[in-house]
Structure formats: structure tokens, C-alpha cells
Amino acid sequence: MADKNKERRRQARGANADNVCQRDDLPESQVKEYHYMLLVLPEELAVLEKYREALVNGTSGFAEIYYNYLFDNPDIADALYSFERSGGDTGSLIRAELANMLGSVVNSPDPAREAGLLNAGSALREYGFRSVWIVASYNLLINYITGTLSGLDAPSSEKESLRSVIARLLLRDMGLTIEGFWRSAHETIEKEMLHFERELGTVEDLLSGIPHYVWSVDIDSNRVIYANASLHAMYATRLAAPVPCLSDTAEEDQQQLLTAWQTAVSGTRTYAEVRISLAGAEQHWYRISMYPSMGQAERRPVLVHCILEDINHLISERKLLEQMATTDKLTQLPNRALWSDHLNMALAASRRVPGSQVIVISLDINQFKMYNDTLGHDVGDVLLRDVADRLNSIVRESDSLARLGGDQFGILMQPVNSARAATERVITQILDSFDIPFSSSGKHLCVNLTMGIACFPEDGTSEESLLTNAESAMHRAKRNGLPYQYFDPLNDVSPVDQLRYSGQMRAALDNNEFMLHYQPQVDLQTSRITGVEALLRWEHPVEGTVMPQRIIPVAEQLGMITPITNWVLVTALRQCKQWSYDGMHIPVAVNVSARSFLNPRLLEKIQWALNETGTDGECLEIEITEATLMQDIEGAAGVLNRLSDIGVTIAIDDFGTGYSSLSYLKQLPIHTLKIDQSFIIDVAFDQQDVAIVRSIIDLGHNLGYKVVAEGVENGLAWDMLNNLGCDTAQGFHISRPLPDNRFSNWLAESGHMS
Ligand code: C2E
Ligand code: MG
Ligand code: MG
């Protein structure tokens, strides 16, 4: 098409060029042509010669007439002034023109002078003259000479001959001047045409050289009025307007193309990205850009220029970038950013369906750092991939599994029915599947996960709070050596708490803001007090009493748990000593968290506290949870044995909530099982709780332990526990935990000492 366009223009130009060529363009031959067409015979010239002098004298008045003609005509006067302004000499111009006009009358015929008229005509055009002005000035001259002739003293036959020959001579001069005028116009147009053609040729070469398809559509006639070579080669005669590639466009993208066309037709630049299969080739992504072009007269778009470019590589790169931005490279799972998007979408959907829930599970590989450090990062990477695959095989397609960073994964679920049941099912599946060891480089690796679960809307309503709370629950599960935990606002430390308390906790210890409340444990048979449990409180100057669930986890994370445990030990034992001064033997039970228990200097600290307060080991009971024990059974056995050696007794706290291995329990010097209050609170009403409590009591007694029931809130529970043979009760029914002074009053009043 590009070549065709060129050809068409060449032809058009050629037609003009041919016209020019048919004429002989040389000045001499043109003069000859005029001489031939407006023939002057020698005898006519002889007559002219005879009267030349009289005629020359007779033309002397024409100069004034010519001047007046020029300056009385406003358009001609303007042209002359502008000639003057651009540096021309108007006087010389007019004199030269006057000489040219009178040349035939004044001089004998001279072909060289006549050829010069061609240049004069060309010059007049360049100075802004119009051809009609030249014709009109010759008309003036003919009139003037006609007047002169009528006054000439000559026979009428000679006068007639003079009139005729002068008319032909002046027509010749005028013709040559006009010829020069239009020849110069023609040359200018030729030059401009050449210039435009060159420019157009460059644009056309450019358009046929670019790897895009370009076309223009006339909106009114709905015709493709231009197509570059590539498009022409592609569609040849099937160049359907307005979008030739519409029929090759994927069906689902066609509407997009039509919409883009409508937008362009209404005057707005636009583009569409669509899939096209050109000439039966593989489908690629293309961008069609549409540029409306305004008609000058119409003041509305009349053309639309279109460019079709292959953007397949761009789309693939874009997809790759998107994938890189949203996918974890190692496991190919969604990364945190994409997962957050999924979570936000799930929350938005859930908000629209009252009662629906979203579950967020935070999963962490236990001791992954150890695998990485001991087996190398390559093995670590393989392990992460295997873990991802195993989790992926469990998670349903509608749920979302992501690697949130390091060895942390996240699962997002939108259960249809019971969220708790669905979560338990997935968690059980995960735990079961991780029972099977992983194999790496011929080695079997046992990998455990710890999980924390948060549920929308109860545990948080934003993506951030849900993930944070699931992570807090996960950390608590880790601390307690449990495979998973649900978020519990009482037990999980929020990062806000952590931040708030981080600067205050040490000062609190120095400022004596911590204090102990004492809760009695009472023999169910005799109602006599058997001991007290010391429970930590923080009398915060601004927030009031802060409960241990919020103190202990933060203290653990801030590395403050050891000084706090030491303070509790000394304070509780000092109180015990005080009671003994007052004549009461009341052993104190102190809670020791997992981190404190695993601290190798714990024994030393207990010994120091006993010495410092002058109390015997028998005055102290250490409460640890099953999970703490299970974290390092052998290490725990060593500590417990040493404690037992110095008379300190050991209680297993919150019994029934963990995963104790009974065979181990048997081997440890344990004295007391404290049944978790969750079994006790409803024991008077719930047969299942009765069954559990009964079996724990039996188990404890079989192993030779004292069994304490925590959370005895009412007389019915007391009676039930008494019937079941439980040894000791602790709970609000007997007394709430009390500060030392109020506890002393309670002791005095309650009669539990007697
Ligand atoms: P725990 O050792 O199981 O202590 C018993 C908790 O049950 C106490 O909560 C007590 O106030 C509460 N309780 C007692 N009787 C009843 C009852 O009849 N009904 C109900 N609903 N609750 C009852 P508290 O004082 O908030 O302590 C919570 C936990 O914080 C303790 O659970 C213990 O694990 C931990 N803790 C407390 N003081 C310390 C400490 O000094 N060091 C460490 N490491 N942990 C501590
Ligand atoms: Mg306790
Ligand atoms: Mg407890």
C-alpha cells in the first residue's frame, strides 16, 4: 500500500510534469512561439518605424497614468508598500515595469528583451502582484496608445495598420510577462510538492518499517483511507473498516475493541489490550491505540488513526513481575502481600454475610533455625518447599496458603458451617501429616509445626489484627510446648501491650509496683488450709491492677521474667516466714513459667531465696504446667529431683489441658496434680466433666499424688469434688486471691486455720 501511495502521487505529479514538458520551456522558444502565434509582418514593422518617434513622444504621459493606476488601487498599493518594507525599491520597480510595457512601442523588436519579460513576470509574482493587475495595466496602455493614434497625423490605412501591430506587440509582451508569472508559480509549487513528497516518503518509510500495523479510518464513510505496508500485506483486500483485525480478535475481547472504537469516535484517545490471532498464528496480546483527528471545518472527529502493536512480551513481563511481587520464589506459594489481599477480600465478603467467619492460622516450623544451621541452607530450602507442598495438599483450593516469611506460613479459610469444626479438621490433618518424617539427602527429618488461630469477627476485624492475634496465639502455643492454640485475649500479649510495657516493667520492679495476692487451698475433708498460691499483680500507676496473663508473656518476651520470678519467690517466702512468726504454717505455691523453669540458674535462685528468707524447702511448692515439663523432660527431671532433694514440692498446674506422657510423669518427683479449672467450674452440672475429674483424681492417687481442684466457685462443686475423693480445693468459693493484709484478716475470720 505504501508503494502504491507513492506511485499514485508520482502519477499525479507526472501528469503535471508532462504538461510542462509538452511545451518547450526555454525562453527563446517561448518568444518564438509568441512571434509565431502573434505574427508581425516586416511591412507592418516598417510603418511602425516610420511613426516611432511620434509614438515615443506620444507615450510620455503614460507614466503618470500608470503611477495613478498603481497607487489608486488599494491592493496594488499594499503590495508595493510591503515590497518597499521588505527592502525593495518601488521607484526602480515601477520604472522598470514601465520600460517593459513601453518596450515594443519605443524599441525595434528584440527577442532578448522579450525573453526578459518572462523574468519580469516571475519577479512581479514574487513581489506579490496578481496576474489580473498586469493584464489591466496593459489594457490601460492599449487605451492610451489608441488615443495617441487617433491624434496622429497619418493616413487612416497606416493608422489602422499601426493600431493592429501595436495591439499584437503588446499582447506578445503581456503574454510573455504572464507566462513568466505562472512559470514562477508553477516552479514554487513544484518545489513545495517535492519537499512534501520527501517528507511524506520519510513518514511512509517509517510507517512501513515499524513493526506495528497502522491505519486511518474515515468516520463518516467508515472506510480505511490509509493502511501501512504491514497491515496491507496482512489483510490485502479484506481490509474491513473500522478495525480490520476484529474478526481475528478473541471473542471475549471483541466487545472491548468496539467500546474503544466508540470512545475514539466520540473524540477521546483510547486503547484496548486484546488477544488476537493474526493470519492463523498463535494468539498474542496486542494493544490497539486509537487517536481521533478533528476535522477543521467539522469541529468533530472525522478520522481515527489506529496503531496495532504486539505486546505479548510486555504482558508476559508484566505477569512475571506481578507473579514476582505476589509469589514466594522458593515455594511458589502466594507471599504475604497477596495473602493480605486474599484476606481482605475474604473479610469484605464475610462482612456481607452476617454470621459468617474467617479463620486465620499462623504456622511456624519448630526449630527451623536448627535445621538451617546444622544441615545447611540448601537443606533448609528443600525442607521449606516440602513443608509447603505438604500443607498445600491439605488446604482446600478455596482456602489460601501462603509463605509469610522465613519459616512462617499462613492459612486463610472461609468455612461454610462451623468454623471451629472446620479448623479442628484442618489442624488435625496437618498434625497427622507431619507425623510422617520428611526425607532430605537420605536423612529422615521429623518436623513439627506450631499453629495459632484467630477467627473473624471475634478475634479481630482487620487483616492486621487477625494475623497479629493468630501469631500471638502461636507464640503462646510455642511457649507452652503445645502444637496449637486459639487466640485468647486474656492470655495473648498484643504488640501494643508489649510496646506499652517495655519501658515500664523494670521501673515497676524498682518502684515496688508488683505485689502478690494469696489464694488459699483448703482440705476438702477437714476444711483446713493446706497452703496458698501466690499470684502476681501489677498495681500500674495509670492502668490500675494488671493481671498476670498480661504481665508474664510480656515479661518473657522482654527478658524480665527471671527478675520477676526471683522477686515472687523472695516475696512469697518472706510472707510465709511472717505467717510462721505469727504461728501459722502455710506453705506457698509459686508459679514458674516455662522460660524460668528452663533457666539453668533457677535452682540456685530458689536456694538463694530460701536462704535469704530463712525458710525451709517444705514451705515452697513450685507450680509448673504439663507443657513446661514436656518441653525438656530430661532437663526437667534433673531440676525436679534437685528441688525434691531440698524439700521443695512440685505441682503440675492446669492439669488436663496439655499432652502429658503419663509414663514420664510416673518417673518424676511430683507431689501434686492441680486439675485445670475448666473441668471444675461446671463439674456440678456436667457429666463429662465429672468423668474427666474422676479419672484425673484416680490417676493422681494411683501415682501417689495429692489432687487439687482449681476454680471451685460454689458449694455444689465443693460437694461433688468431696464425693469424688479430691484432696484439696482452691477457688472463689473459698476465697478470691487477696493481698497479704486482707488475706490475714480472711485467715483470722474464716476459721480455716482451726
Ligand atoms: P493459675 O496458676 O492456674 O492460677 C489460678 C488462676 O485462677 C488465678 O488467676 C486465680 O485468680 C484464678 N482463680 C482462682 N479461683 C478461681 C475461681 O473459682 N474461678 C475462676 N474463674 N478463677 C479462679 P490469675 O491470678 O489471674 O492468674 C492467672 C495465671 O497467671 C495463673 O494461673 C498462672 O499461670 C499465672 N501466674 C500468676 N502469677 C504468676 C507468677 O508469679 N509467675 C508466673 N510465672 N505465672 C503466674
Ligand atoms: Mg498456678
Ligand atoms: Mg492453674
Side-chain angles (χ1 to χ4, degrees):
M1 183 93 173
D3 289 346
K4 240 183 171 180
N5 289 339
K6 258 185 191 168
E7 178 59 21
R8 225 181 287 142
R9 271 203 319 284
R10 208 173 43 239
Q11 277 174 8
R13 231 168 61 76
N16 278 341
D18 290 349
N19 288 345
V20 176
C21 286
Q22 273 166 16
R23 252 182 13 218
D24 198 338
D25 247 0
L26 289 172
E28 304 81 55
S29 43
Q30 286 205 301
V31 171
K32 270 187 198 153
E33 211 181 347
Y34 274 83
H35 281 208
Y36 173 74
M37 298 300 284
L38 298 161
L39 193 64
V40 174
L41 298 170
E43 50 271 31
E44 289 177 308
L45 275 178
V47 178
L48 184 59
E49 275 311 322
K50 184 175 160 191
Y51 292 99
R52 173 102 50 208
E53 205 181 324
L55 284 171
V56 170
N57 291 336
T59 56
S60 56
F62 181 68
E64 194 184 340
I65 293 173
Y66 185 55
Y67 267 93
N68 290 342
Y69 158 72
L70 293 176
F71 286 101
D72 286 350
N73 188 320
D75 289 347
I76 303 176
D78 275 353
L80 288 169
Y81 293 140
S82 100
F83 173 69
E84 182 96 26
R85 275 198 301 278
S86 60
D89 180 350
T90 317
S92 306
L93 174 69
I94 296 173
R95 276 193 300 280
E97 193 46 29
L98 206 53
N100 281 337
M101 288 172 72
L102 294 172
S104 296
V105 181
V106 174
N107 304 307
S108 311
D110 172 8
R113 184 195 69 83
E114 288 163 82
L117 292 174
L118 290 164
N119 292 338
S122 156
L124 286 175
R125 194 194 70 84
E126 276 160 32
Y127 303 150
F129 269 57
R130 292 170 52 196
S131 56
V132 67
W133 300 345
I134 301 169
V135 174
S137 59
Y138 272 93
N139 182 45
L140 267 185
L141 181 57
I142 289 170
N143 284 343
Y144 182 80
I145 289 181
T146 308
T148 309
L149 282 180
S150 59
L152 195 69
D153 184 15
S156 62
S157 61
E158 282 185 341
K159 268 193 194 173
E160 184 50 34
S161 169
L162 277 175
R163 195 196 55 75
S164 164
V165 74
I166 288 173
R168 254 170 291 141
L169 285 172
L170 291 181
L171 280 176
R172 269 193 204 173
D173 287 358
M174 183 186 75
L176 285 165
T177 310
I178 297 288
E179 192 85 33
F181 182 96
W182 286 117
R183 194 164 67 167
S184 119
H186 182 77
E187 274 168 8
T188 308
I189 291 170
E190 275 280 282
K191 260 192 225 150
E192 278 174 4
M193 287 275 285
L194 204 71
H195 174 72
F196 283 138
E197 186 158 305
R198 273 203 200 113
E199 277 197 344
L200 222 68
T202 315
V203 172
E204 200 139 276
D205 286 350
L206 197 81
L207 290 179
S208 56
I210 56 168
H212 306 329
Y213 303 93
V214 182
W215 72 99
S216 299
V217 181
D218 179 84
I219 298 175
D220 290 345
S221 63
N222 193 38
R223 267 186 338 107
V224 174
I225 56 158
Y226 171 80
N228 75 343
S230 329
L231 189 71
H232 215 256
M234 174 67 60
Y235 286 105
T237 50
R238 299 178 301 113
L239 212 53
V243 183
C245 56
L246 183 64
S247 56
D248 295 332
T249 303
E251 237 173 75
E252 56 271 41
D253 294 346
Q254 288 188 0
Q255 186 53 47
Q256 214 195 121
L257 259 190
L258 296 175
T259 309
W261 173 253
Q262 288 308 326
T263 310
V265 164
S266 67
T268 308
R269 280 173 172 222
T270 186
Y271 70 89
E273 291 181 356
V274 293
R275 283 155 292 181
I276 302 179
S277 155
L278 284 183
E282 197 186 318
Q283 201 173 61
H284 270 201
W285 279 98
Y286 284 86
R287 177 185 292 143
I288 299 190
S289 309
M290 298 180 177
Y291 306 94
S293 162
M294 303 298 272
Q296 279 178 348
E298 291 84 350
R299 291 166 168 269
R300 63 174 170 84
V302 288
L303 296 178
V304 175
H305 306 298
C306 307
I307 300 176
L308 175 69
E309 59 184 307
D310 188 331
I311 53 163
N312 220 37
H313 59 292
L314 282 182
I315 296 277
S316 333
E317 277 166 21
R318 198 192 291 167
K319 276 192 184 143
L320 194 73
L321 279 176
E322 266 169 25
Q323 201 194 356
M324 277 163 68
T326 55
T327 310
D328 170 55
K329 220 166 118 199
L330 182 68
T331 60
Q332 295 303 311
L333 291 178
N335 65 9
R336 196 178 197 122
L338 181 60
W339 193 74
S340 295
D341 283 352
H342 289 173
L343 181 49
N344 276 322
M345 279 189 292
L347 294 180
S350 197
R351 280 187 194 105
R352 288 193 292 272
V353 184
S356 65
Q357 289 177 304
V358 177
I359 303 293
V360 171
I361 306 177
S362 166
L363 307 94
D364 194 90
I365 304 178
N366 294 339
Q367 293 173 321
F368 178 71
K369 192 176 166 334
M370 183 196 78
Y371 296 120
N372 240 354
D373 291 349
T374 53
L375 303 174
H377 286 260
D378 290 348
V379 176
D381 284 354
V382 172
L383 192 62
L384 281 170
R385 267 199 293 266
D386 290 349
V387 166
D389 288 347
R390 208 170 272 191
L391 289 173
N392 223 356
S393 67
I394 294 166
V395 172
R396 289 183 318 174
E397 230 167 71
S398 55
D399 300 334
S400 173
L401 167 69
R403 182 175 172 216
L404 302 182
D407 60 344
Q408 197 196 347
F409 294 83
I411 295 175
L412 151 69
M413 305 198 306
Q414 280 176 284
V416 183
N417 296 316
S418 161
R420 190 69 176 224
T423 313
E424 285 291 329
R425 205 169 37 245
V426 169
I427 296 244
T428 311
Q429 278 177 8
I430 293 174
L431 291 175
D432 287 351
S433 88
F434 277 74
D435 277 349
I436 307 161
F438 288 79
S439 60
S440 169
S441 331
K443 290 188 190 74
H444 284 313
L445 301 177
C446 292
V447 176
N448 294 311
L449 297 177
T450 306
M451 292 171 270
I453 304 123
C455 178
F456 169 86
E458 305 87 281
D459 302 335
T461 51
S462 70
E463 170 237 332
E464 211 184 339
S465 63
L466 283 166
L467 184 58
T468 307
N469 289 343
E471 280 170 355
S472 301
M474 194 252 310
H475 288 303
R476 180 162 48 86
K478 275 209 174 196
R479 275 198 306 278
N480 296 332
L482 298 172
Y484 69 95
Q485 286 286 276
Y486 286 87
F487 174 70
D488 170 1
L490 281 179
N491 279 312
D492 290 314
V493 201
S494 73
V496 180
D497 278 353
Q498 242 190 74
L499 203 67
R500 197 174 44 224
Y501 295 149
S502 58
Q504 303 173 349
M505 222 169 238
R506 184 162 291 280
L509 206 53
D510 296 342
N511 298 341
N512 290 325
E513 286 168 15
F514 287 118
M515 63 185 299
L516 291 180
H517 283 200
Y518 299 95
Q519 188 176 33
Q521 298 170 342
V522 174
D523 188 298
L524 273 154
Q525 300 235 307
T526 63
S527 286
R528 284 179 65 89
I529 189 164
T530 57
V532 292
E533 180 174 5
L535 296 159
L536 183 66
R537 302 289 182 263
W538 177 5
E539 293 306 325
H540 193 283
V542 179
E543 293 182 22
T545 307
V546 181
M547 299 303 277
Q549 288 98 334
R550 287 176 68 200
I551 308 169
I552 304 299
V554 184
E556 286 195 328
Q557 263 154 42
L558 296 176
M560 284 290 296
I561 193 67
T562 304
I564 290 178
T565 304
N566 295 344
W567 178 86
V568 172
L569 279 167
V570 172
T571 311
L573 287 173
R574 210 169 265 151
Q575 183 60 56
C576 180
K577 187 76 185 171
Q578 182 61 47
W579 287 323
S580 87
Y581 283 141
D582 297 343
M584 295 175 284
H585 172 67
I586 309 174
V588 282
V590 165
N591 293 281
V592 173
S593 70
R595 195 155 296 182
S596 290
F597 188 73
L598 296 173
N599 186 331
R601 300 191 63 197
L602 175 74
L603 264 174
E604 202 185 298
K605 291 292 174 190
I606 291 176
Q607 191 66 67
W608 172 82
L610 289 170
N611 291 342
E612 177 75 13
T613 53
T615 39
D616 294 335
E618 286 77 24
C619 294
L620 179 65
E621 184 161 65
I622 294 293
E623 291 192 10
I624 50 173
T625 62
E626 290 171 86
T628 307
L629 262 187
M630 289 303 150
Q631 276 186 33
D632 176 9
I633 277 259
E634 277 168 31
V639 177
L640 297 189
N641 282 325
R642 299 271 304 279
L643 285 173
S644 199
D645 288 347
I646 55 170
V648 175
T649 56
I650 311 296
I652 305 294
D653 204 354
D654 303 343
F655 190 79
T657 55
Y659 291 80
S660 304
S661 162
L662 291 178
S663 54
Y664 278 115
L665 276 188
K666 252 194 301 193
Q667 298 163 23
L668 295 172
I670 288 163
H671 306 84
T672 311
L673 280 192
K674 294 186 77 177
I675 308 173
D676 190 69
Q677 51 180 268
S678 59
F679 304 109
I680 304 298
I681 289 189
D682 288 332
V683 75
F685 316 102
D686 188 323
Q687 281 310 306
Q688 207 180 339
D689 283 348
V690 173
I692 294 170
V693 170
R694 179 184 286 126
S695 63
I696 295 177
I697 293 169
D698 289 350
L699 169 88
H701 286 165
N702 286 340
L703 292 170
Y705 305 153
K706 180 172 96 171
V707 179
V708 180
E710 288 186 300
V712 181
E713 289 193 347
N714 48 57
L716 292 173
W718 171 281
D719 293 340
M720 175 63 78
L721 290 162
N722 208 356
N723 288 338
L724 291 171
C726 187
D727 304 303
T728 309
Q730 178 184 344
F732 296 167
H733 176 61
I734 301 141
S735 165
R736 287 184 176 265
L738 299 170
D740 51 14
N741 51 347
R742 286 180 55 202
F743 183 78
S744 304
N745 293 342
W746 176 85
L747 269 182
E749 287 160 16
S750 67
H752 284 283
M753 284 306 294
S754 50

